Coordinates of all heavy atoms in Angstrom, one line a residue:
M204 N -75.0 -1.2 -199.4 CA -74.1 -2.2 -199.7 C -74.7 -3.4 -200.2 O -75.6 -3.9 -199.6 CB -73.2 -2.5 -198.5 CG -72.0 -3.3 -198.8 SD -71.3 -4.0 -197.3 CE -70.5 -2.6 -196.6
K205 N -74.4 -3.9 -201.4 CA -75.0 -5.0 -202.0 C -74.1 -6.2 -202.0 O -72.9 -6.1 -202.3 CB -75.4 -4.7 -203.5 CG -76.7 -3.9 -203.5 CD -77.0 -3.5 -205.0 CE -78.2 -2.6 -205.0 NZ -78.4 -2.1 -206.3
I206 N -74.6 -7.4 -201.7 CA -73.8 -8.6 -201.7 C -74.6 -9.7 -202.5 O -75.8 -9.8 -202.4 CB -73.6 -9.2 -200.2 CG1 -73.0 -8.1 -199.4 CG2 -72.7 -10.4 -200.2 CD1 -73.0 -8.5 -197.9
N207 N -73.9 -10.6 -203.1 CA -74.5 -11.7 -203.8 C -75.0 -12.7 -202.8 O -74.5 -12.8 -201.7 CB -73.5 -12.3 -204.8 CG -73.2 -11.5 -206.0 OD1 -73.8 -10.4 -206.1 ND2 -72.3 -11.9 -206.8
K208 N -76.0 -13.5 -203.3 CA -76.6 -14.5 -202.4 C -75.6 -15.7 -202.2 O -75.5 -16.3 -201.2 CB -77.8 -15.1 -203.0 CG -79.0 -15.0 -202.1 CD -80.3 -15.5 -202.8 CE -81.5 -14.9 -202.2 NZ -82.7 -15.3 -202.9
E209 N -74.8 -16.0 -203.3 CA -73.8 -17.0 -203.2 C -72.4 -16.4 -203.4 O -72.2 -15.7 -204.4 CB -74.1 -18.1 -204.3 CG -75.2 -19.0 -203.9 CD -75.3 -20.2 -204.8 OE1 -74.8 -20.1 -205.9 OE2 -75.9 -21.2 -204.4
I210 N -71.5 -16.7 -202.5 CA -70.2 -16.2 -202.6 C -69.2 -17.4 -202.4 O -69.5 -18.4 -201.7 CB -69.9 -15.1 -201.6 CG1 -70.2 -15.5 -200.2 CG2 -70.5 -13.8 -202.0 CD1 -69.7 -14.5 -199.1
M211 N -68.0 -17.2 -203.0 CA -66.9 -18.2 -202.8 C -66.1 -17.6 -201.6 O -65.7 -16.4 -201.7 CB -66.0 -18.3 -204.0 CG -66.6 -19.3 -205.0 SD -66.6 -21.0 -204.5 CE -64.9 -21.4 -204.9
S212 N -65.9 -18.4 -200.5 CA -65.1 -17.8 -199.5 C -64.6 -19.0 -198.6 O -64.9 -20.1 -198.8 CB -66.0 -16.9 -198.6 OG -66.3 -17.4 -197.4
Y213 N -63.6 -18.6 -197.8 CA -62.9 -19.6 -197.0 C -63.7 -20.2 -195.9 O -64.4 -19.5 -195.2 CB -61.6 -19.0 -196.4 CG -60.8 -19.9 -195.6 CD1 -60.0 -20.9 -196.1 CD2 -60.8 -19.7 -194.2 CE1 -59.3 -21.7 -195.3 CE2 -60.1 -20.6 -193.4 CZ -59.3 -21.6 -194.0 OH -58.5 -22.4 -193.2
C214 N -63.7 -21.5 -195.8 CA -64.4 -22.2 -194.7 C -63.4 -22.8 -193.8 O -62.5 -23.6 -194.2 CB -65.3 -23.3 -195.2 SG -66.1 -24.3 -194.0
K215 N -63.4 -22.4 -192.5 CA -62.4 -22.8 -191.5 C -62.6 -24.3 -191.1 O -61.6 -24.9 -190.6 CB -62.4 -21.9 -190.3 CG -63.7 -21.9 -189.5 CD -63.6 -21.0 -188.3 CE -64.9 -20.8 -187.6 NZ -64.8 -19.8 -186.5
F216 N -63.7 -24.9 -191.4 CA -64.0 -26.3 -191.1 C -63.5 -27.2 -192.2 O -62.9 -28.3 -191.9 CB -65.4 -26.6 -190.8 CG -66.0 -25.7 -189.7 CD1 -66.8 -24.6 -190.0 CD2 -65.7 -26.0 -188.3 CE1 -67.2 -23.8 -189.0 CE2 -66.2 -25.2 -187.3 CZ -66.9 -24.1 -187.6
C217 N -63.7 -26.8 -193.5 CA -63.2 -27.5 -194.6 C -61.7 -27.2 -194.9 O -61.1 -27.9 -195.7 CB -64.0 -27.2 -195.8 SG -65.8 -27.5 -195.6
N218 N -61.3 -26.1 -194.4 CA -59.9 -25.6 -194.6 C -59.6 -25.3 -196.1 O -58.5 -25.5 -196.6 CB -58.9 -26.6 -194.1 CG -57.5 -26.0 -193.8 OD1 -57.5 -24.7 -193.6 ND2 -56.5 -26.8 -193.7
K219 N -60.6 -24.8 -196.8 CA -60.4 -24.4 -198.2 C -61.6 -23.5 -198.6 O -62.5 -23.3 -197.9 CB -60.3 -25.6 -199.1 CG -61.6 -26.5 -199.1 CD -61.4 -27.7 -200.0 CE -62.6 -28.6 -199.9 NZ -62.5 -29.8 -200.6
H220 N -61.5 -22.9 -199.8 CA -62.5 -22.1 -200.3 C -63.7 -22.9 -200.9 O -63.5 -23.9 -201.6 CB -62.0 -21.2 -201.5 CG -61.4 -19.9 -200.9 ND1 -60.2 -19.8 -200.2 CD2 -61.9 -18.6 -201.0 CE1 -60.0 -18.6 -199.9 NE2 -61.0 -17.8 -200.3
T221 N -64.9 -22.6 -200.4 CA -66.1 -23.3 -200.8 C -67.2 -22.3 -201.1 O -67.1 -21.1 -200.8 CB -66.6 -24.3 -199.8 OG1 -66.8 -23.6 -198.6 CG2 -65.7 -25.5 -199.6
K222 N -68.3 -22.8 -201.7 CA -69.4 -21.9 -202.0 C -70.2 -21.7 -200.7 O -70.5 -22.6 -199.9 CB -70.3 -22.6 -203.0 CG -70.7 -21.7 -204.2 CD -71.5 -22.4 -205.2 CE -71.3 -21.8 -206.6 NZ -72.0 -22.4 -207.6
H223 N -70.6 -20.4 -200.4 CA -71.4 -20.1 -199.3 C -72.7 -19.4 -199.7 O -72.7 -18.6 -200.6 CB -70.6 -19.1 -198.4 CG -69.5 -19.8 -197.5 ND1 -68.4 -20.3 -198.1 CD2 -69.5 -20.1 -196.2 CE1 -67.6 -20.8 -197.1 NE2 -68.3 -20.7 -196.0
T224 N -73.8 -19.7 -198.9 CA -75.0 -19.0 -199.1 C -75.1 -17.9 -198.0 O -74.9 -18.3 -196.8 CB -76.2 -19.9 -199.1 OG1 -76.1 -20.7 -198.0 CG2 -76.3 -20.7 -200.3
V225 N -75.4 -16.7 -198.4 CA -75.4 -15.6 -197.4 C -76.8 -15.3 -197.0 O -77.7 -15.2 -197.8 CB -74.7 -14.4 -198.1 CG1 -74.7 -13.2 -197.1 CG2 -73.3 -14.7 -198.5
R226 N -77.0 -15.0 -195.7 CA -78.3 -14.5 -195.3 C -78.1 -13.5 -194.1 O -77.0 -13.4 -193.6 CB -79.3 -15.6 -194.8 CG -78.8 -16.5 -193.8 CD -79.8 -17.7 -193.8 NE -79.2 -18.8 -193.1 CZ -79.3 -19.1 -191.8 NH1 -79.9 -18.2 -191.0 NH2 -78.8 -20.2 -191.3
T227 N -79.2 -12.8 -193.8 CA -79.0 -11.7 -192.8 C -78.7 -12.2 -191.4 O -79.1 -13.3 -191.1 CB -80.3 -10.8 -192.8 OG1 -81.4 -11.7 -192.7 CG2 -80.5 -10.0 -194.0
Y228 N -78.1 -11.4 -190.6 CA -77.7 -11.7 -189.3 C -78.9 -11.5 -188.3 O -79.5 -10.4 -188.3 CB -76.5 -10.9 -188.9 CG -76.1 -11.0 -187.4 CD1 -75.4 -12.1 -187.0 CD2 -76.4 -10.0 -186.5 CE1 -75.0 -12.3 -185.7 CE2 -76.0 -10.2 -185.2 CZ -75.3 -11.3 -184.8 OH -74.9 -11.4 -183.5
N229 N -79.2 -12.6 -187.6 CA -80.3 -12.4 -186.5 C -79.6 -12.4 -185.2 O -78.9 -13.4 -184.9 CB -81.3 -13.6 -186.6 CG -81.9 -13.7 -188.0 OD1 -82.2 -12.6 -188.5 ND2 -82.1 -14.9 -188.5
K230 N -79.9 -11.4 -184.4 CA -79.3 -11.3 -183.1 C -79.8 -12.4 -182.2 O -81.1 -12.5 -182.1 CB -79.5 -9.9 -182.5 CG -78.5 -9.5 -181.5 CD -78.7 -8.1 -180.9 CE -77.6 -7.9 -179.9 NZ -77.9 -6.6 -179.2
K231 N -78.9 -13.1 -181.5 CA -79.4 -14.1 -180.5 C -79.8 -13.5 -179.2 O -79.3 -12.4 -178.8 CB -78.2 -15.1 -180.3 CG -78.0 -16.0 -181.4 CD -76.7 -16.7 -181.3 CE -76.4 -17.4 -182.6 NZ -75.0 -17.8 -182.6
P232 N -80.8 -14.1 -178.5 CA -81.2 -13.5 -177.2 C -80.1 -13.6 -176.2 O -79.2 -14.4 -176.2 CB -82.4 -14.4 -176.8 CG -82.2 -15.7 -177.6 CD -81.6 -15.3 -178.8
Q233 N -80.1 -12.6 -175.2 CA -79.0 -12.5 -174.3 C -79.1 -13.7 -173.3 O -80.2 -14.2 -172.9 CB -79.2 -11.2 -173.5 CG -78.8 -10.0 -174.2 CD -78.8 -8.8 -173.3 OE1 -79.5 -8.7 -172.3 NE2 -78.0 -7.8 -173.7
R234 N -77.9 -14.2 -172.9 CA -77.8 -15.3 -172.0 C -78.1 -14.8 -170.6 O -77.6 -13.8 -170.2 CB -76.4 -16.0 -172.0 CG -76.2 -16.7 -173.3 CD -74.9 -17.4 -173.3 NE -73.7 -16.5 -173.2 CZ -72.8 -16.6 -172.3 NH1 -72.8 -17.6 -171.4 NH2 -71.8 -15.8 -172.3
G235 N -78.9 -15.6 -169.8 CA -79.2 -15.2 -168.5 C -78.1 -15.3 -167.5 O -78.1 -14.7 -166.4
L236 N -77.1 -16.2 -167.8 CA -76.1 -16.4 -166.8 C -74.7 -15.9 -167.3 O -73.7 -16.4 -166.8 CB -76.0 -17.9 -166.5 CG -77.2 -18.5 -165.7 CD1 -77.1 -20.0 -165.6 CD2 -77.1 -17.9 -164.3
S237 N -74.7 -15.0 -168.2 CA -73.4 -14.4 -168.6 C -72.8 -13.5 -167.5 O -73.6 -13.1 -166.7 CB -73.6 -13.7 -169.9 OG -74.3 -12.5 -169.7
L238 N -71.5 -13.3 -167.6 CA -70.9 -12.5 -166.6 C -71.5 -11.1 -166.4 O -71.7 -10.6 -165.3 CB -69.4 -12.4 -166.9 CG -68.5 -11.6 -165.9 CD1 -68.6 -12.2 -164.5 CD2 -67.1 -11.5 -166.4
G239 N -71.8 -10.4 -167.6 CA -72.3 -9.1 -167.5 C -73.7 -9.1 -166.9 O -74.0 -8.2 -166.1
T240 N -74.5 -10.0 -167.2 CA -75.9 -10.1 -166.6 C -75.8 -10.4 -165.1 O -76.5 -9.7 -164.4 CB -76.7 -11.2 -167.3 OG1 -76.5 -11.1 -168.7 CG2 -78.2 -11.0 -167.0
R241 N -74.9 -11.3 -164.7 CA -74.8 -11.6 -163.3 C -74.3 -10.4 -162.5 O -74.7 -10.0 -161.5 CB -73.8 -12.7 -163.1 CG -74.5 -14.1 -163.4 CD -73.5 -15.2 -163.1 NE -72.6 -15.3 -164.2 CZ -71.3 -15.8 -164.1 NH1 -70.9 -16.2 -163.0 NH2 -70.6 -15.9 -165.2
R242 N -73.3 -9.6 -163.1 CA -72.7 -8.4 -162.5 C -73.8 -7.4 -162.3 O -73.9 -6.7 -161.3 CB -71.6 -7.9 -163.3 CG -70.7 -7.0 -162.7 CD -69.6 -6.5 -163.6 NE -68.6 -7.5 -163.8 CZ -67.9 -7.7 -164.9 NH1 -68.0 -6.9 -165.9 NH2 -66.9 -8.6 -165.0
H243 N -74.6 -7.2 -163.4 CA -75.7 -6.2 -163.3 C -76.7 -6.6 -162.3 O -77.2 -5.7 -161.5 CB -76.3 -6.1 -164.7 CG -77.4 -5.1 -164.8 ND1 -78.7 -5.4 -164.9 CD2 -77.3 -3.7 -164.8 CE1 -79.4 -4.3 -164.9 NE2 -78.6 -3.2 -164.9
N244 N -77.1 -7.9 -162.2 CA -78.1 -8.3 -161.2 C -77.5 -8.1 -159.8 O -78.3 -7.7 -158.9 CB -78.4 -9.8 -161.4 CG -79.3 -10.0 -162.7 OD1 -79.9 -9.0 -163.1 ND2 -79.3 -11.2 -163.2
R245 N -76.2 -8.3 -159.6 CA -75.6 -8.1 -158.3 C -75.6 -6.6 -157.9 O -75.9 -6.3 -156.8 CB -74.1 -8.6 -158.4 CG -73.7 -9.2 -157.1 CD -72.2 -9.6 -157.2 NE -72.0 -10.5 -158.3 CZ -70.9 -10.4 -159.2 NH1 -70.1 -9.4 -159.1 NH2 -70.8 -11.2 -160.2
A246 N -75.4 -5.8 -158.9 CA -75.3 -4.3 -158.6 C -76.7 -3.8 -158.3 O -76.8 -2.9 -157.4 CB -74.8 -3.6 -159.9
I247 N -77.8 -4.3 -158.9 CA -79.1 -3.7 -158.6 C -79.9 -4.5 -157.5 O -81.0 -4.2 -157.3 CB -80.0 -3.6 -159.9 CG1 -80.2 -5.0 -160.5 CG2 -79.4 -2.7 -160.9 CD1 -81.3 -5.0 -161.6
K248 N -79.2 -5.4 -156.9 CA -79.8 -6.2 -155.8 C -80.0 -5.3 -154.6 O -79.2 -4.4 -154.3 CB -78.9 -7.4 -155.5 CG -79.6 -8.5 -154.8 CD -78.6 -9.6 -154.6 CE -79.1 -10.7 -153.8 NZ -78.0 -11.7 -153.4
G249 N -81.0 -5.6 -153.8 CA -81.3 -4.9 -152.5 C -82.1 -3.6 -152.7 O -83.0 -3.6 -153.5
Y250 N -81.7 -2.5 -152.0 CA -82.5 -1.3 -152.0 C -82.1 -0.4 -153.1 O -82.8 0.6 -153.4 CB -82.4 -0.6 -150.7 CG -83.1 -1.3 -149.6 CD1 -82.3 -2.0 -148.6 CD2 -84.5 -1.4 -149.5 CE1 -83.0 -2.7 -147.6 CE2 -85.1 -2.1 -148.5 CZ -84.4 -2.8 -147.6 OH -85.0 -3.5 -146.6
V251 N -80.9 -0.6 -153.7 CA -80.5 0.2 -154.8 C -81.3 -0.1 -156.1 O -81.4 -1.2 -156.5 CB -79.0 0.0 -155.1 CG1 -78.4 1.0 -156.1 CG2 -78.2 0.0 -153.8
G252 N -81.9 1.0 -156.7 CA -82.7 0.8 -157.8 C -82.0 0.5 -159.1 O -81.8 -0.6 -159.5
S253 N -81.4 1.6 -159.7 CA -80.7 1.4 -160.9 C -79.3 2.0 -160.7 O -79.0 2.8 -159.9 CB -81.4 2.2 -162.0 OG -81.5 3.6 -161.7
I254 N -78.4 1.5 -161.6 CA -77.0 1.9 -161.5 C -76.7 2.9 -162.6 O -77.4 2.9 -163.6 CB -76.0 0.8 -161.6 CG1 -76.3 -0.1 -162.8 CG2 -76.0 0.0 -160.3 CD1 -75.2 -1.1 -163.0
E255 N -75.8 3.8 -162.3 CA -75.4 4.9 -163.3 C -74.8 4.2 -164.5 O -73.9 3.5 -164.4 CB -74.4 5.8 -162.7 CG -74.7 7.3 -163.0 CD -73.8 8.2 -162.2 OE1 -74.1 8.5 -161.1 OE2 -72.8 8.6 -162.8
P256 N -75.4 4.5 -165.7 CA -74.8 3.9 -166.9 C -73.5 4.5 -167.3 O -73.2 5.7 -167.0 CB -75.9 4.2 -168.0 CG -76.6 5.4 -167.5 CD -76.5 5.4 -166.0
K257 N -72.6 3.7 -167.9 CA -71.3 4.2 -168.4 C -71.6 5.0 -169.6 O -72.5 4.7 -170.4 CB -70.4 3.0 -168.8 CG -69.7 2.4 -167.6 CD -68.8 1.3 -168.1 CE -68.2 0.6 -167.0 NZ -67.5 -0.6 -167.4
I258 N -70.8 6.1 -169.8 CA -71.0 6.9 -171.0 C -70.0 6.5 -172.0 O -68.8 6.5 -171.8 CB -70.8 8.4 -170.6 CG1 -71.9 8.8 -169.6 CG2 -70.9 9.3 -171.9 CD1 -71.7 10.1 -168.9
H259 N -70.5 5.9 -173.1 CA -69.6 5.5 -174.2 C -69.6 6.5 -175.3 O -70.6 7.2 -175.5 CB -70.2 4.2 -174.8 CG -70.2 3.1 -173.8 ND1 -69.0 2.5 -173.3 CD2 -71.2 2.4 -173.1 CE1 -69.3 1.5 -172.5 NE2 -70.7 1.5 -172.3
P260 N -68.5 6.7 -176.0 CA -68.4 7.6 -177.1 C -69.3 7.1 -178.2 O -69.5 5.9 -178.4 CB -66.9 7.5 -177.5 CG -66.4 6.3 -177.0 CD -67.2 6.0 -175.7
K261 N -69.9 8.0 -179.0 CA -70.8 7.6 -180.0 C -70.1 7.1 -181.2 O -69.1 7.8 -181.7 CB -71.7 8.8 -180.4 CG -73.0 8.8 -179.6 CD -74.0 9.8 -180.2 CE -75.3 9.7 -179.5 NZ -76.2 10.8 -179.8
K262 N -70.5 6.0 -181.8 CA -69.9 5.4 -183.0 C -70.7 5.9 -184.2 O -71.9 6.0 -184.1 CB -69.9 3.9 -182.9 CG -69.2 3.3 -181.7 CD -67.7 3.1 -181.9 CE -66.9 2.9 -180.7 NZ -67.1 1.7 -180.0
L263 N -70.0 6.1 -185.3 CA -70.7 6.5 -186.5 C -71.0 5.3 -187.3 O -70.1 4.7 -188.0 CB -69.8 7.5 -187.3 CG -69.5 8.8 -186.5 CD1 -68.4 9.6 -187.3 CD2 -70.7 9.7 -186.4
G264 N -72.2 4.8 -187.3 CA -72.6 3.7 -188.0 C -72.3 2.4 -187.3 O -71.8 2.3 -186.2
K265 N -72.7 1.3 -187.9 CA -72.5 0.0 -187.4 C -71.8 -0.9 -188.4 O -71.9 -0.7 -189.6 CB -73.9 -0.7 -187.0 CG -74.5 -0.2 -185.8 CD -75.8 -0.9 -185.5 CE -76.3 -0.5 -184.1 NZ -77.6 -1.1 -183.8
K266 N -71.1 -1.9 -187.8 CA -70.5 -2.9 -188.7 C -71.6 -3.9 -189.2 O -72.4 -4.3 -188.4 CB -69.5 -3.7 -188.0 CG -68.2 -2.9 -187.8 CD -67.2 -3.7 -187.1 CE -65.9 -2.9 -186.9 NZ -64.9 -3.7 -186.1
Q267 N -71.7 -4.2 -190.5 CA -72.7 -5.0 -191.0 C -72.3 -6.4 -191.0 O -71.3 -6.8 -191.6 CB -73.1 -4.5 -192.4 CG -73.5 -3.1 -192.5 CD -74.8 -2.9 -191.8 OE1 -75.7 -3.7 -191.8 NE2 -74.9 -1.7 -191.1
K268 N -73.1 -7.2 -190.3 CA -72.8 -8.7 -190.2 C -73.7 -9.5 -191.0 O -74.9 -9.2 -191.2 CB -73.1 -9.1 -188.7 CG -71.9 -9.0 -187.8 CD -72.2 -9.5 -186.5 CE -71.2 -9.1 -185.5 NZ -71.6 -9.5 -184.1
V269 N -73.2 -10.6 -191.6 CA -74.0 -11.6 -192.3 C -73.7 -13.0 -191.8 O -72.6 -13.2 -191.2 CB -73.8 -11.5 -193.8 CG1 -74.4 -10.2 -194.4 CG2 -72.4 -11.7 -194.2
M270 N -74.6 -13.9 -192.0 CA -74.4 -15.3 -191.7 C -74.1 -16.0 -193.0 O -74.9 -15.9 -193.9 CB -75.6 -15.9 -191.0 CG -76.1 -15.2 -189.8 SD -74.9 -15.1 -188.5 CE -75.1 -16.7 -187.7
S271 N -73.0 -16.8 -193.1 CA -72.7 -17.5 -194.3 C -72.7 -19.0 -194.0 O -72.1 -19.4 -193.1 CB -71.4 -17.0 -194.9 OG -70.4 -17.2 -194.1
E272 N -73.4 -19.8 -194.9 CA -73.5 -21.2 -194.6 C -72.7 -21.9 -195.7 O -72.9 -21.7 -196.9 CB -74.9 -21.7 -194.7 CG -75.1 -23.1 -194.3 CD -76.5 -23.6 -194.4 OE1 -77.4 -22.7 -194.4 OE2 -76.7 -24.8 -194.4
C273 N -71.8 -22.8 -195.3 CA -71.0 -23.6 -196.3 C -71.8 -24.6 -197.0 O -72.7 -25.2 -196.4 CB -69.8 -24.2 -195.5 SG -68.8 -25.3 -196.5
A274 N -71.6 -24.7 -198.3 CA -72.4 -25.7 -199.0 C -71.9 -27.1 -198.9 O -72.7 -28.1 -199.1 CB -72.4 -25.3 -200.5
V275 N -70.7 -27.3 -198.4 CA -70.1 -28.6 -198.2 C -70.4 -29.2 -196.9 O -71.0 -30.3 -196.7 CB -68.6 -28.6 -198.5 CG1 -68.0 -30.0 -198.4 CG2 -68.3 -28.1 -199.9
C276 N -70.1 -28.5 -195.8 CA -70.2 -29.0 -194.4 C -71.5 -28.5 -193.7 O -71.8 -28.9 -192.6 CB -69.0 -28.8 -193.6 SG -68.6 -27.0 -193.4
H277 N -72.2 -27.5 -194.3 CA -73.4 -26.9 -193.8 C -73.2 -26.2 -192.4 O -74.1 -26.1 -191.6 CB -74.5 -27.9 -193.7 CG -74.9 -28.4 -195.1 ND1 -75.6 -27.7 -196.0 CD2 -74.6 -29.6 -195.7 CE1 -75.8 -28.4 -197.1 NE2 -75.2 -29.5 -196.9
K278 N -72.0 -25.8 -192.1 CA -71.7 -25.0 -190.9 C -71.9 -23.5 -191.2 O -71.7 -23.1 -192.3 CB -70.3 -25.2 -190.4 CG -70.0 -26.7 -190.1 CD -69.6 -26.9 -188.7 CE -69.3 -28.3 -188.4 NZ -69.0 -28.6 -187.1
I279 N -72.5 -22.8 -190.2 CA -72.8 -21.4 -190.3 C -71.8 -20.6 -189.6 O -71.5 -20.8 -188.4 CB -74.2 -21.2 -189.8 CG1 -75.2 -22.0 -190.7 CG2 -74.5 -19.7 -189.9 CD1 -76.6 -22.0 -190.1
T280 N -71.2 -19.6 -190.2 CA -70.3 -18.7 -189.6 C -70.8 -17.3 -189.8 O -71.5 -16.9 -190.7 CB -68.9 -18.8 -190.2 OG1 -69.0 -18.9 -191.6 CG2 -68.2 -20.0 -189.6
E281 N -70.4 -16.5 -188.8 CA -70.8 -15.1 -188.8 C -69.6 -14.2 -189.3 O -68.5 -14.5 -189.0 CB -71.0 -14.8 -187.3 CG -71.6 -13.5 -186.9 CD -71.6 -13.3 -185.4 OE1 -72.3 -14.1 -184.8 OE2 -70.9 -12.5 -184.9
R282 N -69.9 -13.3 -190.2 CA -68.8 -12.5 -190.7 C -69.2 -11.0 -190.9 O -70.4 -10.7 -191.1 CB -68.2 -13.1 -192.0 CG -69.2 -13.3 -193.1 CD -68.6 -14.0 -194.2 NE -67.5 -13.2 -194.8 CZ -66.7 -13.7 -195.7 NH1 -66.8 -14.9 -196.1 NH2 -65.8 -13.0 -196.3
V283 N -68.2 -10.2 -190.8 CA -68.4 -8.7 -190.9 C -68.1 -8.3 -192.3 O -67.0 -8.7 -192.9 CB -67.6 -8.0 -189.9 CG1 -67.7 -6.5 -190.1 CG2 -68.0 -8.3 -188.5
M284 N -69.0 -7.6 -193.0 CA -68.8 -7.1 -194.3 C -68.4 -5.7 -194.3 O -69.2 -4.8 -193.9 CB -70.0 -7.3 -195.2 CG -70.4 -8.7 -195.5 SD -69.0 -9.6 -196.3 CE -69.9 -10.8 -197.2
G285 N -67.2 -5.3 -194.7 CA -66.8 -4.0 -194.8 C -66.5 -3.3 -193.4 O -66.5 -4.0 -192.4
M286 N -66.5 -2.0 -193.4 CA -66.2 -1.3 -192.1 C -67.5 -0.7 -191.6 O -68.6 -1.0 -192.1 CB -65.2 -0.2 -192.4 CG -63.8 -0.7 -192.7 SD -63.2 -1.8 -191.5 CE -62.9 -0.7 -190.1
R287 N -67.4 0.2 -190.6 CA -68.6 0.9 -190.1 C -69.3 1.7 -191.1 O -68.6 2.5 -191.8 CB -68.2 1.8 -188.9 CG -67.9 1.0 -187.7 CD -67.6 2.0 -186.5 NE -67.2 1.2 -185.4 CZ -68.0 0.6 -184.6 NH1 -69.3 0.6 -184.8 NH2 -67.6 -0.1 -183.6
T288 N -70.6 1.5 -191.3 CA -71.3 2.3 -192.3 C -72.8 2.5 -191.8 O -73.3 1.8 -191.0 CB -71.3 1.6 -193.6 OG1 -72.2 2.3 -194.5 CG2 -71.8 0.1 -193.5
K289 N -73.4 3.6 -192.3 CA -74.8 3.8 -192.0 C -75.7 3.1 -192.9 O -76.9 3.0 -192.7 CB -75.1 5.3 -192.0 CG -74.5 6.0 -190.8 CD -74.9 7.4 -190.7 CE -74.3 8.0 -189.4 NZ -74.5 9.5 -189.3
K290 N -75.2 2.6 -194.0 CA -76.0 1.9 -195.0 C -76.3 0.5 -194.5 O -75.4 -0.2 -193.9 CB -75.3 1.9 -196.4 CG -75.3 3.2 -197.0 CD -74.6 3.2 -198.3 CE -74.6 4.6 -199.0 NZ -73.8 4.6 -200.2
K291 N -77.5 0.0 -194.9 CA -77.8 -1.4 -194.5 C -77.4 -2.4 -195.7 O -77.4 -1.9 -196.8 CB -79.3 -1.6 -194.2 CG -79.6 -1.1 -192.8 CD -81.0 -1.5 -192.4 CE -81.2 -1.1 -190.9 NZ -82.6 -1.3 -190.5
I292 N -77.2 -3.6 -195.3 CA -76.8 -4.6 -196.3 C -78.0 -5.1 -197.1 O -79.1 -5.3 -196.5 CB -76.0 -5.7 -195.5 CG1 -74.6 -5.7 -195.9 CG2 -76.6 -7.1 -195.9 CD1 -73.7 -6.6 -195.1
E293 N -77.8 -5.2 -198.4 CA -78.8 -5.8 -199.3 C -78.3 -7.1 -199.9 O -77.2 -7.1 -200.5 CB -79.1 -4.8 -200.4 CG -80.0 -3.7 -200.0 CD -80.2 -2.7 -201.1 OE1 -80.6 -3.2 -202.2 OE2 -80.0 -1.5 -200.9
I294 N -79.0 -8.2 -199.7 CA -78.6 -9.5 -200.3 C -79.5 -9.8 -201.4 O -80.8 -9.7 -201.3 CB -78.7 -10.6 -199.2 CG1 -77.7 -10.3 -198.1 CG2 -78.4 -11.9 -199.8 CD1 -78.0 -11.1 -196.8
G295 N -78.9 -10.0 -202.6 CA -79.8 -10.2 -203.7 C -79.1 -11.1 -204.8 O -77.9 -11.5 -204.6
R296 N -79.7 -11.2 -205.9 CA -79.2 -12.0 -207.0 C -78.9 -13.4 -206.8 O -78.2 -13.8 -205.9 CB -78.0 -11.3 -207.6 CG -78.4 -10.3 -208.7 CD -77.2 -9.8 -209.4 NE -76.4 -8.9 -208.6 CZ -75.1 -8.5 -208.9 NH1 -74.5 -9.0 -209.9 NH2 -74.5 -7.7 -208.1
Ligands
LIG327 ZN1 -67.2 -26.1 -194.9

């Protein structure tokens, strides 16, 4: 999937369509005090070693995320491009 480096898109802070620069999505590190992490730490506390993992159904492909920065207010928003796909996103031009 190919995307242009600059796109016109809606900015929720400016409340109108503005120019956005697109770049790849970088995953943020996990928060140490989030509910899921606290629940997991509570579960493995004491003599119990590991907990049985939940079995999730396998998804075919991933949703491709990009970060877009508004040229007017310089706020960065995260957005999903297209549906689940096995192809990786290419940013160019
Ligand atoms: Zn904006």
Side-chain angles (χ1 to χ4, degrees):
M204 193 193 283
K205 284 177 183 171
I206 306 171
N207 287 357
K208 234 177 207 176
E209 282 191 339
I210 51 168
M211 279 293 277
S212 111
Y213 177 75
C214 176
K215 60 182 175 183
F216 303 102
C217 304
N218 202 22
K219 61 182 176 188
H220 272 70
T221 52
K222 233 177 206 177
H223 281 75
T224 49
V225 179
R226 55 191 162 91
T227 49
Y228 173 77
N229 301 322
K230 204 179 179 186
K231 284 167 193 165
Q233 285 187 337
R234 289 187 293 131
L236 288 173
S237 69
L238 179 61
T240 316
R241 281 181 282 152
R242 194 181 286 152
H243 182 252
N244 286 340
R245 215 183 304 136
I247 61 168
K248 202 178 169 189
Y250 291 109
V251 186
S253 58
I254 52 168
E255 218 173 279
K257 274 183 193 169
I258 297 162
H259 297 289
K261 267 195 177 169
K262 303 272 164 72
L263 299 168
K265 281 184 174 178
K266 284 181 179 175
Q267 299 298 320
K268 270 183 196 170
V269 290
M270 308 296 278
S271 60
E272 188 183 340
C273 177
V275 180
C276 63
H277 298 286
K278 298 242 182 186
I279 298 165
T280 44
E281 186 184 296
R282 57 186 295 170
V283 175
M284 293 302 210
M286 294 303 293
R287 283 188 186 278
T288 173
K289 285 185 176 174
K290 289 178 180 174
K291 280 194 176 171
I292 250 171
E293 281 175 51
I294 296 162
R296 268 189 287 166

